[in-house]
Amino acid sequence: METDQGSRHVLPFQLQFDKPLASQVKMAEWNPEKDLLAMVTEDSKVVLHRFNWQRLWTISPGKCITSLCWRPDGKVVVLGLEDGTVSLHDVENGKLLRSLKSHAAAVVCLNWEEDAQVNRDTSGNSLAFEDRTTRFFPPAPRVPRMPGLVSGETGLTDDGQDSFVELSNSSKQCFNILCSGDKDGVLCFSIFGVFPIGNVNIHECDIPMTTKDRDTVCRLLNASVRKVALSKDLCHLMVACSGELVEDIVESRGCQTVGDSTHGFHCLVLDTSIFQKSKNELHQVAQQASNIEDLLHVVRTSLSVMHKQWADAMNIFHEKFDLLMSLINDHGLDSSPQEEFLSLLGGARTSPAVHQFLVNSLGEVGMKRVSKVVCGAGKELQLVVLNHLQPAVEIIGFRMGELRGLSRWRSCYLGIGLDETLVDNAVEKAGMLLVQVERFIRVLSSVVQQFANFFSWLLKCIKQLMSEPSDQLLTYNCELVVVFLKFLYDQDPVMQLLDLSEADEEIDIDLETMERVKELVQFGGFKDSKCLRRTLAKEFQLMEYSFKEAAQMPFSTISKKICCKNLLPLFPLTSDASEFASSNLTQEVGFTDYISFQIPHKSFSDFTNCIAVVRGFMNDSSNVKRGRPLEAILLCIPSGYHCVDLALYKELQIVMLLNKINDTGENLGDAWMMILQASDLPFVHISGTTQANNWELYQLKDSILHLDMENEKIRSIPHNVVPPLSVSASRGVACVLAARKRALVYILDEDEDEISDSE
């Protein structure tokens, strides 16, 4: 990559033997195995490359991409979008697997972590959660395609790469949490990336801070999240954010007064230990609930497919047969199409309008086409019901029953908010939906049979009117023709059950049937006596609502148990927040957490071209037993150099990429890699609990470590480096280290306020 020294304009990313990208890369992330690189361009396209730079695919979500990360197993790429949506994409082909609208603002950071501890039974064997559904049911149905209706010849074939099938397999054997943060300070958590399990607004968090003479509670106002990092044991979440820290002083008599407030860059630690403490319970509930979510999508899509298919067929039917009413009016007759057809069926003289309609307007060819379209649509609807809708509803009922069993184990599952009453209601609604599906099957079968019988009779009438032999035609039932003309010709019970736009419309049921249903209610089994008045679409709406209501209780319960544990003010900010570089967070099992960031020149006048590294923050809290002390160091970059990137390797080495610049700030075309031994750096102890307007890092001004290009371990790079690909693509040696050591690397850019990290 090269830089135009005049305008500092970065040329589009280009590889040898590969077409250049139309726009510059703004984000880049290696997958966990370091053999795939996902890049996001300025025009919000996602490009996936192999380690050998072979381009696999390019997709465009159609919305501005604001964040990027990988699932821990490297099989899914996660995108945060400007409208608050989090979308999951298959690494194999870039296909959209799932989309979650968890935020109301742009998603600016993502972090997906998997529990590092393997569940084991009393014998020490690895414990995997058993899904009992496979004992009783075949594999879950896939989502049907939305076909176009062409002369009744449509096929609903399964998509071999369906979204939820991939998400429902291996990923759910391991407990993992996806954390997303938006620019308004809202953090959302989801299990497996698909089942929302909690959220927290950092503006509403009480931040405890203790001094010698008073207790204070702080709040962050107008905060914007910059980076999040969930610990490997899922017990802590580190949040880097900018905002105004307001101090509320708690007086001895219990009253509160507003103290000082400071606008700056801060780091929070949230207590997310509920994820670890209730891991088994959350895993079981999420496994069932997320699969139910997948199946709800199957049902929802099936209803949409059937609605469209049948509506298209009925439009063609009415388009042809509405001509008969026009002909009746043209001939001055005072009758309806049904009366004319009944007269023809009874052997009376055929009216001129019916004769003209059957022989000239409709004809044998038109009749066969309408018959093929309507009967073909009916058969396709039956296939959708049998292959998609009915098995999905059956499995939903079974999984609801599994949740019902868990909800009755109050000692374990009441603590995460699984409410037995709400789950029982969802179970009953799932059962009623299955009853409605069976009802729909009977109605559909009857309607299709009567349509076919009516078309066979009309075809024979056309043959006779045209004096053609009709012995080879199928026989018909006169009684069914009468029933069709009286009850189905101008009515559509199939569409009434499928109608999505008027789902609140009730179906007329005779009084005798309603009385029988009320008698059955007295015997128990269900409480709803109005089920027959509801359409299939309405029944699905009720079931979906009851399930979401039951799932909302664990979401609310977990959200209340996530609280702020500690805060570290890092540096003050001017009104122009774009002058600082976002901090970077990480936590490895058995390792100390590190925070690294570049200090803006305007934050502290005494600090010039300095990088701060803080470690041990998660263990530094007045509310918990202290582990390692909170330590920090300021690294002063040599004059004439600009730090583009900082990388931490296994707590052993800190690697920085430096661009050489002249007095005007222009790059001179070459760069250097500086390697420091972390254990040899003179870290200084600082306090992690402080007042809002007391910046602890300022105490380090007398112990700044000035780096020297001649004395430090450095390596030359034959070209300048530019973020975000300085770490991910443009540095040869460090890239190899990242791939072999599975290290954590970070990109800092003060001018553009952009940051990208790879693990």
Side-chain angles (χ1 to χ4, degrees):
M1 301 177 63
E2 299 179 356
T3 305
D4 186 348
Q5 296 183 2
S7 62
R8 293 180 60 86
H9 174 69
V10 180
L11 295 178
F13 179 78
Q14 184 175 3
L15 297 170
Q16 190 175 8
F17 309 117
D18 190 18
K19 295 181 180 179
L21 298 179
S23 298
Q24 173 59 30
V25 175
K26 67 176 182 179
M27 283 180 281
E29 290 277 357
W30 283 106
N31 72 335
E33 297 298 327
K34 300 297 183 296
D35 57 357
L36 293 174
L37 176 66
M39 296 178 289
V40 177
T41 60
E42 291 287 354
D43 58 351
S44 288
K45 291 183 179 179
V46 184
V47 185
L48 190 71
H49 278 272
R50 291 191 186 276
F51 184 73
N52 60 3
W53 300 118
Q54 174 192 4
R55 188 183 299 186
L56 297 181
W57 46 257
T58 302
I59 62 172
S60 178
K63 299 175 183 177
C64 180
I65 302 174
T66 51
S67 53
L68 170 72
C69 83
W70 289 78
R71 197 170 72 181
D73 62 2
K75 295 182 178 180
V76 174
V77 176
V78 190
L79 304 178
L81 305 181
E82 189 177 32
D83 66 347
T85 301
V86 176
S87 60
L88 282 61
H89 295 263
D90 191 351
V91 172
E92 294 297 326
N93 49 27
K95 180 180 177 180
L96 179 64
L97 301 175
R98 179 66 69 87
S99 182
L100 287 168
K101 189 68 166 63
S102 303
H103 298 268
V107 181
V108 295
C109 55
L110 294 163
N111 180 232
W112 201 335
E113 288 294 343
E114 189 170 274
D115 181 34
Q117 300 179 6
V118 179
N119 293 329
R120 300 186 181 277
D121 58 18
T122 55
S123 303
N125 299 320
S126 177
L127 179 62
F129 291 107
E130 180 189 10
D131 186 0
R132 301 196 307 167
T133 311
T134 56
R135 295 186 185 181
F136 308 100
F137 297 94
R142 294 187 173 95
V143 179
R145 290 179 178 175
M146 182 71 74
L149 190 63
V150 181
S151 301
E153 297 179 355
T154 59
L156 292 173
T157 58
D158 292 339
D159 189 345
Q161 298 172 340
D162 258 349
S163 60
F164 69 91
V165 173
E166 195 281 335
L167 287 173
S168 301
N169 296 332
S170 59
S171 65
K172 295 182 181 177
Q173 288 301 317
C174 299
F175 186 68
N176 54 71
I177 299 287
L178 173 63
C179 177
S180 56
D182 63 33
K183 67 177 184 180
D184 289 344
V186 178
L187 304 173
C188 295
F189 305 90
S190 59
I191 302 178
F192 312 134
V194 297
F195 179 62
I197 197 58
N199 68 4
V200 61
N201 191 331
I202 61 176
H203 301 147
E204 301 173 356
C205 289
D206 290 332
I207 305 171
M209 305 183 78
T210 304
T211 59
K212 294 181 180 180
D213 55 347
R214 65 187 182 187
D215 293 334
T216 62
V217 175
C218 292
R219 289 182 180 273
L220 278 171
L221 303 180
N222 302 318
S224 177
V225 177
R226 295 287 177 166
K227 206 70 177 176
V228 293
L230 195 61
S231 61
K232 293 292 184 181
D233 60 2
L234 308 181
C235 289
H236 302 91
L237 177 72
M238 297 181 70
V239 184
C241 58
S242 61
E244 184 179 4
L245 188 61
V246 178
E247 183 179 0
D248 294 335
I249 303 174
V250 182
E251 304 291 350
S252 58
R253 296 183 179 181
C255 59
Q256 293 186 357
T257 60
V258 178
D260 299 329
S261 63
T262 306
H263 182 63
F265 192 72
H266 314 278
C267 186
L268 300 176
V269 172
L270 299 184
D271 183 1
T272 58
S273 57
I274 182 65
F275 294 140
Q276 184 62 238
K277 293 176 182 178
S278 303
K279 178 179 62 176
N280 294 340
E281 293 78 11
L282 290 173
H283 195 166
Q284 290 275 34
V285 171
Q287 194 175 47
Q288 299 296 345
S290 58
N291 277 282
I292 291 174
E293 284 278 6
D294 296 334
L295 294 168
L296 289 177
H297 180 53
V298 176
V299 176
R300 189 182 304 108
T301 307
S302 298
L303 292 176
S304 298
V305 168
M306 292 191 298
H307 182 276
K308 181 182 184 303
Q309 191 113 22
W310 190 253
D312 290 345
M314 289 297 98
N315 287 337
I316 293 177
F317 171 78
H318 290 294
E319 179 183 352
K320 290 293 184 181
F321 280 79
D322 285 350
L323 295 175
L324 177 58
M325 190 65 205
S326 300
L327 293 174
I328 292 175
N329 294 331
D330 293 342
H331 286 81
L333 301 177
D334 186 16
S335 59
S336 65
Q338 295 96 315
E339 293 173 343
E340 293 292 333
F341 281 133
L342 288 173
S343 178
L344 177 62
L345 180 65
R349 183 177 178 181
T350 306
S351 68
V354 173
H355 187 281
Q356 182 179 350
F357 170 73
L358 294 178
V359 176
N360 300 328
S361 300
L362 185 62
E364 182 180 352
V365 175
M367 183 67 259
K368 289 182 177 179
R369 179 177 180 272
V370 174
S371 175
K372 187 175 184 180
V373 168
V374 175
C375 295
K379 292 179 180 178
E380 293 294 350
L381 261 65
Q382 291 174 335
L383 290 177
V384 174
V385 173
L386 296 176
N387 297 334
H388 302 275
L389 179 62
Q390 188 176 26
V393 175
E394 290 174 348
I395 298 176
I396 286 175
F398 179 84
R399 291 193 178 277
M400 289 286 195
E402 295 282 86
L403 284 177
R404 184 182 188 183
L406 297 179
S407 67
R408 293 187 172 183
W409 191 355
R410 295 187 180 89
S411 60
C412 286
Y413 291 89
L414 187 62
I416 63 170
L418 197 62
D419 186 85
E420 181 180 356
T421 302
L422 294 178
V423 175
D424 283 347
N425 182 52
V427 170
E428 178 171 322
K429 290 296 187 294
M432 298 311 299
L433 178 60
L434 183 58
V435 171
Q436 291 283 46
V437 171
E438 294 177 350
R439 172 195 186 187
F440 177 78
I441 293 176
R442 294 193 298 270
V443 171
L444 176 63
S445 178
S446 174
V447 169
V448 172
Q449 180 185 3
Q450 294 189 56
F451 261 110
N453 183 74
F454 174 68
F455 293 145
S456 297
W457 170 67
L458 278 187
L459 189 58
K460 192 164 187 176
C461 291
I462 293 173
K463 288 282 190 180
Q464 292 177 348
L465 292 174
M466 298 178 66
S467 301
E468 295 181 358
S470 59
D471 297 338
Q472 303 298 323
L473 298 178
L474 296 175
T475 58
Y476 61 91
N477 188 307
C478 294
E479 295 180 358
L480 289 181
V481 173
V482 174
V483 172
F484 176 85
L485 293 172
K486 285 187 174 182
F487 301 105
L488 296 179
Y489 184 85
D490 56 357
Q491 300 180 27
D492 192 350
V494 174
M495 184 57 68
Q496 186 179 28
L497 289 172
L498 290 176
D499 200 341
L500 305 177
S501 59
E502 300 179 1
D504 293 331
E505 181 182 350
E506 290 189 347
I507 299 175
D508 293 332
I509 303 295
D510 60 273
L511 183 61
E512 181 181 356
T513 302
M514 288 302 302
E515 291 298 329
R516 292 180 59 188
V517 171
K518 291 180 180 179
E519 292 176 359
L520 291 175
V521 172
Q522 302 300 323
F523 288 95
F526 63 94
K527 305 174 183 178
D528 194 350
S529 62
K530 298 181 180 180
C531 58
L532 295 181
R533 291 189 178 275
R534 292 194 291 268
T535 66
L536 180 61
K538 179 61 177 179
E539 198 68 60
F540 171 71
Q541 284 186 357
L542 293 176
M543 192 273 289
E544 185 177 27
Y545 175 79
S546 64
F547 167 72
K548 291 183 177 180
E549 187 180 26
Q552 183 63 31
M553 284 299 294
F555 181 91
S556 302
T557 302
I558 298 299
S559 298
K560 294 177 182 178
K561 296 185 178 182
I562 300 174
C563 59
C564 184
K565 183 177 179 182
N566 200 5
L567 175 138
L568 177 64
L570 296 178
F571 52 80
L573 294 174
T574 61
S575 58
D576 185 6
S578 64
E579 295 182 358
F580 70 92
S582 302
S583 67
N584 303 267
L585 315 170
T586 176
Q587 168 112 5
E588 290 283 356
V589 175
F591 289 6
T592 303
D593 55 283
Y594 278 78
I595 309 168
S596 57
F597 54 91
Q598 192 163 18
I599 298 180
H601 300 318
K602 295 183 180 180
S603 294
F604 299 122
S605 58
D606 297 335
F607 300 158
T608 303
N609 204 12
C610 283
I611 301 292
V613 180
V614 183
R615 68 183 184 185
F617 179 45
M618 281 192 181
N619 295 322
D620 189 86
S621 174
S622 59
N623 299 326
V624 297
K625 185 177 180 180
R626 289 177 179 265
R628 301 182 184 180
L630 179 61
E631 299 174 321
I633 190 172
L634 295 181
L635 305 176
C636 184
I637 306 301
S639 178
Y641 293 89
H642 170 67
C643 182
V644 182
D645 174 271
L646 182 144
L648 172 69
Y649 295 106
K650 298 280 188 178
E651 289 194 75
L652 300 176
Q653 293 177 325
I654 293 177
V655 180
M656 291 184 291
L657 294 181
L658 308 177
N659 271 343
K660 192 172 182 179
I661 57 177
N662 57 21
D663 295 336
T664 62
E666 296 178 346
N667 290 331
L668 297 181
D670 52 355
W672 300 85
M673 177 186 296
M674 180 178 291
I675 304 175
L676 305 175
Q677 198 70 22
S679 58
D680 296 338
L681 297 178
F683 280 89
V684 178
H685 174 72
I686 63 174
S687 173
T689 304
T690 181
Q691 293 177 337
N693 60 350
N694 187 14
W695 307 98
E696 292 292 335
L697 292 180
Y698 192 74
Q699 302 174 7
L700 302 176
K701 65 179 181 178
D702 297 329
S703 56
I704 297 177
L705 178 61
H706 294 271
L707 303 177
D708 191 341
M709 296 296 291
E710 295 182 358
N711 297 330
E712 307 297 343
K713 184 177 180 181
I714 62 174
R715 297 178 182 177
S716 175
I717 299 176
H719 55 80
N720 65 308
V721 290
V722 181
L725 292 180
S726 53
V727 166
S728 300
S730 298
R731 71 179 209 287
V733 178
C735 182
V736 175
L737 289 174
R740 293 180 178 177
K741 290 192 172 184
R742 300 177 60 83
L744 296 134
V745 292
Y746 313 95
I747 301 167
L748 298 90
D749 181 49
E750 184 178 9
D751 296 322
E752 297 178 0
D753 188 25
E754 289 289 345
I755 181 166
S756 167
D757 64 289
S758 304
E759 177 175 341

